[in-house]
Amino acid sequence: MAAALERADAAPTLTCADVTQCSICHWYPLNKKHTFKTIVVPASRAFVEFLGSDGPMVIPETAKGARVASRGRTAVDDDCELSDDESAPAPRFPDDEAAVDAAIAELGGVAFCKLNWSAPRDAAWLTGGRLQCECAGDVFALLAASEFARHDVGRAYDGCGDGGDADAIKCGAVVALRAWRDLEPSREFRCFLLDGVLVAACQRRVDEVFEEFDDGDGSALRGVKAGIARLVDAGLDVPRDCVLDVALDGRRAYLVDVGPSVATDPLLFAWPELLALRPAASARPRGPSTDFELRVVDADSPPVMPSELSSFRAPLDVAEIARAGGLDELLASMRTQRADDSSSSDDD
């Protein structure tokens, strides 16, 4: 959600209620049959304050540790932290840990995690690009390293045009654990609803060309449009103005996420052109159809947009360490570098 806040000039101002309606704790109970099984865990005040705090990234201590970057190896030491103060104990959140571990177990031992609006995709370098979580330690490490998570707990309502009654309009922070599904990147789409009408959609990965869309007769794109329209026509209970992330799997379409309209990155569109597609009151169709505009990156030309996560990637040497051995080796390397820097300063 945060990625588009600066790109929404000339667009209508959101209200706190608009943002709250797009929190997973609001839309998931209304759309269970159209999405993946999800267990929503209310976050404790202490955990929320930890995620929103400034300073070095610290990985909370948990019983099982964090295995996010060391699959098949021993877990990271429970008290590992990316902090200059190695003597400070890592924080513990036993109630949050127990609830998250129980949810992951109920989902079959592996899950995808997110907060109310955002998943910690900017911290995916810890996992080699995947966000599979096997325990609370994995979840806590990803959330602790994520700027998207920090935005959710501290700035989700920034830019809203109303103050309103915070208790009535705003919602509390949650950790949502979702059943893990391997999705094909070429089958993920961002869809735009205005006044309850599906007006446009585009591929979710804007930095990739998927040659399957260039099949000569357009049948692949017609199939995509039909799949998206079937889902929206199936009776989704979502805000009339919102952004839907949708995944296609065979003939089935799944609702992946819901975002507030002008605060969500429009990817291959711009918000002024999307808002111009809003149907006139006198000509609104009864429901969405396959007549909406669908954009994909043209196979005849290179991608023109960088990944929305490009500014969050780790340096290559850090990423290589994480892939090869996990956070324990990464921490050891950083501490060695810090010691070398300190020694150089003393010599000078």
Side-chain angles (χ1 to χ4, degrees):
M1 181 175 78
L5 290 177
E6 295 79 12
R7 297 172 57 175
D9 354 336
T13 302
L14 288 171
T15 66
C16 292
D18 293 332
V19 174
T20 293
Q21 282 187 309
C22 296
S23 169
I24 193 169
C25 58
H26 181 88
W27 66 259
Y28 173 74
L30 304 174
N31 298 279
K32 286 183 179 181
K33 65 181 180 180
H34 301 298
T35 188
F36 312 122
K37 181 177 180 180
T38 300
I39 299 173
V40 176
V41 176
S44 69
R45 177 182 291 273
F47 187 55
V48 171
E49 290 176 351
F50 162 76
L51 291 178
S53 62
D54 294 325
M57 185 190 93
V58 179
I59 298 177
E61 180 183 351
T62 58
K64 297 179 182 178
R67 292 186 294 274
V68 290
S70 54
R71 303 291 182 200
R73 297 174 59 87
T74 57
V76 185
D77 290 343
D78 288 343
D79 61 349
C80 70
E81 56 179 5
L82 297 184
S83 169
D84 288 331
D85 184 2
E86 297 180 20
S87 63
R92 291 209 64 177
F93 306 100
D95 292 341
D96 300 86
E97 178 184 350
V100 168
D101 276 335
I104 294 175
E106 185 175 336
L107 293 170
V110 61
F112 175 90
C113 73
K114 64 172 292 178
L115 295 182
N116 300 60
W117 299 275
S118 307
R121 294 176 297 115
D122 55 324
W125 65 272
L126 288 173
T127 68
R130 291 168 68 84
L131 296 177
Q132 282 182 320
C133 297
E134 297 176 3
C135 62
D138 291 353
V139 173
F140 291 175
L142 286 168
L143 294 178
S146 172
E147 286 299 316
F148 292 175
R150 185 182 299 240
H151 181 276
D152 267 22
V153 299
R155 299 179 54 202
Y157 293 93
D158 283 6
C160 290
D162 59 338
D165 181 347
D167 292 333
I169 297 174
K170 299 183 179 180
C171 57
V174 301
V175 179
L177 289 311
R178 314 203 70 194
W180 180 263
R181 296 292 293 264
D182 282 307
L183 301 174
E184 288 291 332
S186 64
R187 310 297 286 169
E188 297 181 65
F189 299 90
R190 177 154 288 178
C191 310
F192 305 90
L193 264 66
L194 295 175
D195 283 342
V197 176
L198 178 61
V199 298
C202 65
Q203 73 184 56
R204 185 71 180 78
R205 306 290 184 91
V206 297
D207 58 337
E208 296 186 49
V209 171
F210 299 112
E211 295 184 1
E212 64 194 79
F213 295 147
D214 187 21
D215 57 4
D217 62 1
S219 59
L221 294 180
R222 286 195 297 273
V224 167
K225 295 180 79 171
I228 292 172
R230 277 196 303 271
L231 175 65
V232 179
D233 279 332
L236 294 180
D237 192 341
V238 295
R240 290 183 62 78
D241 288 351
C242 68
V243 176
L244 308 178
D245 282 343
V246 171
L248 304 180
D249 187 4
R251 290 186 56 80
R252 178 79 189 273
Y254 294 93
L255 176 62
V256 177
D257 207 356
V258 179
S261 56
V262 294
T264 303
D265 196 330
L267 300 179
L268 296 180
F269 290 91
W271 273 111
E273 61 180 321
L274 286 169
L275 294 169
L277 298 174
R278 184 189 296 273
S282 59
R284 285 180 192 154
R286 296 183 61 181
S289 70
T290 55
D291 209 16
F292 62 91
E293 181 177 355
L294 173 63
R295 290 184 183 177
V296 297
V297 178
D298 194 335
D300 294 330
S301 59
V304 295
M305 294 184 67
S307 166
E308 59 185 323
L309 301 176
S310 58
S311 61
F312 295 102
R313 288 172 178 158
L316 288 176
D317 53 347
V318 174
E320 285 299 323
I321 293 170
R323 277 195 293 269
L327 291 178
D328 43 358
E329 281 84 354
L330 174 58
L331 289 164
S333 174
M334 294 179 71
R335 286 166 179 160
T336 299
Q337 182 63 49
R338 227 175 11 236
D340 291 345
D341 291 346
S342 175
S343 175
S344 298
S345 297
D346 290 344
D347 290 344
D348 292 340

